[in-house]
Amino acid sequence: RPGILVAVHSEGVVGWGECTPSLGPWYSYETIATAWHILIDFLLPLTAGKTIAHPSDVAALMHPVRGHEMAKAGLENAVWDAYAQQQGKSLSAVLGGTKDRVAVGVSIGIQPTIEGLLARVDKFVAEGYGRIKVKISKDWLVEPLQAIREKYPDILLMADANSDFTLDDVDRLKQIDSLGLLMIEQPLSHDDIADHAILQAQMETPICLDESVHGPASMRSMVALKAGRILNMKVCRVGGLTNALEIHDLAVNANIGMWSGGMLETGIGRATNIHLSSMAGFTLPGDISATDRYYHEDIAEPAFVLNKEDSTMSVPTGVGLGIEVQLDRVEKHRVAYYAA
């Protein structure tokens, strides 16, 4: 998986952040190429060499650049790591985290057959994951969810629709209300809030917004319109930890459940997600799978492992992110480099 690592050098420490767009504009308009361009040509010139009192000051420095939240998050989160190290605290402590373990689950893509889907669920349940998320579509909706629910009547089960439906599908979507799902994620358009409010009013199953919320302003719209009862927080999608903290407080005040999504991060981004998830507002299991589910060799140690007894991951206790970036591995896989 391609990715961009950002290292911020400040007063004897090195803070790390990860920028996580895809190769193409499939999840958002940002790509590896656009993020590299925005970082080098705009964000670094606005921030490198500046004196700041707190990591939240970085958001103000980057404000002239509109959008490009993933590029901004990679840079700002590195500053947060450096700041936490300078304070001699973990990132969790600096953010106000209250948990030493965070609940996690696993996500399963659309499978060729129901039997194949159940085999995947069996595998992850055996590994200790207590929450299962299943991708769904117009052609893969009720039957797969029914099959899982029949075999696992008590498991935490959610569906991720990846914007495959419209309001014309209300009656079909209401068929899943009887299955006791934890939520249905982003059933309608990736940039929609208003139609989700119309859909939520007609469904018992809680709607979870993902791509629609890309900053505090859209979060306020979600709350005002009652467009969903749950939020998938991806710190990369909302522009960094400063915005994530504001959104966290908005969710808590509105009694909206929250969990951390994932973007196939390395140990750097994964650690950031876990520290953020230690905050009180993260009440639902997140998509933070164990390192070895995706990587034979990560670029940070120690690897993240699942606590099988309670389907959690432990929050690192060292200063900053609490991980050690393995520079020899970074160098082995590096394809480009830039220093401001």
Side-chain angles (χ1 to χ4, degrees), residues 47-65:
T47 55
K50 298 294 193 298
T51 299
I52 63 171
H54 189 269
S56 58
D57 297 340
V58 176
L61 292 174
M62 297 188 296
H63 183 70
V65 176

Side-chain angles (χ1 to χ4, degrees), residues 124 128 145 193 231 283 293 335 339:
F124 291 121
L145 296 173
I193 294 179
L231 175 69
T283 56
R293 185 178 174 208
V335 295

Side-chain angles (χ1 to χ4, degrees), residues 312-333:
T312 64
M313 286 191 185
S314 299
V315 180
T317 57
V319 296
L321 290 175
I323 57 172
E324 291 291 334
V325 177
Q326 306 299 301
L327 295 177
D328 58 331
R329 299 180 192 173
V330 173
E331 181 62 25
K332 180 171 68 173
H333 298 292

Side-chain angles (χ1 to χ4, degrees), residues 208 222 229-232 251 254-259 281-284:
C208 170
M222 175 187 177
R229 300 173 194 158
I230 296 172
L231 175 69
N232 174 357
N255 197 31
I256 289 177
M258 193 161 47
W259 55 283
F282 286 83
T283 56
L284 298 165

Side-chain angles (χ1 to χ4, degrees), residues 168-245:
D168 292 336
D169 300 306
V170 170
D171 289 340
R172 292 194 64 216
L173 287 168
K174 289 172 66 175
Q175 294 179 41
I176 68 173
D177 277 341
S178 62
L179 299 178
L181 300 185
L182 193 61
M183 68 193 87
I184 177 172
E185 183 180 355
Q186 200 72 34
L188 308 180
S189 177
H190 71 280
D191 57 357
D192 171 76
I193 294 179
D195 282 355
H196 278 99
I198 295 172
L199 178 61
Q200 181 65 92
Q202 300 180 65
M203 289 192 69
E204 297 178 14
T205 303
I207 288 176
C208 170
L209 292 190
D210 179 3
E211 296 99 319
S212 296
V213 175
H214 44 78
S218 48
M219 181 63 188
R220 286 190 288 271
S221 296
M222 175 187 177
V223 172
L225 295 175
K226 299 181 180 179
R229 300 173 194 158
I230 296 172
L231 175 69
N232 174 357
M233 167 70 81
K234 291 177 181 171
V235 63
C236 61
R237 190 189 69 238
V238 302
L241 288 165
T242 299
N243 283 346
L245 293 176

Side-chain angles (χ1 to χ4, degrees), residues 75-128:
L75 175 55
E76 189 201 280
N77 292 349
V79 177
W80 276 96
D81 179 29
Y83 176 78
Q85 292 181 52
Q86 290 170 345
Q87 300 299 305
K89 299 178 180 179
S90 70
L91 180 59
S92 171
V94 168
L95 295 175
T98 60
K99 295 175 281 190
D100 58 8
R101 291 187 174 196
V102 298
V104 300
V106 70
S107 179
I108 301 175
I110 293 177
Q111 302 298 305
T113 65
I114 296 291
E115 293 73 19
L117 173 64
L118 291 176
R120 294 285 288 169
V121 174
D122 291 344
K123 174 181 181 295
F124 291 121
V125 170
E127 289 178 1

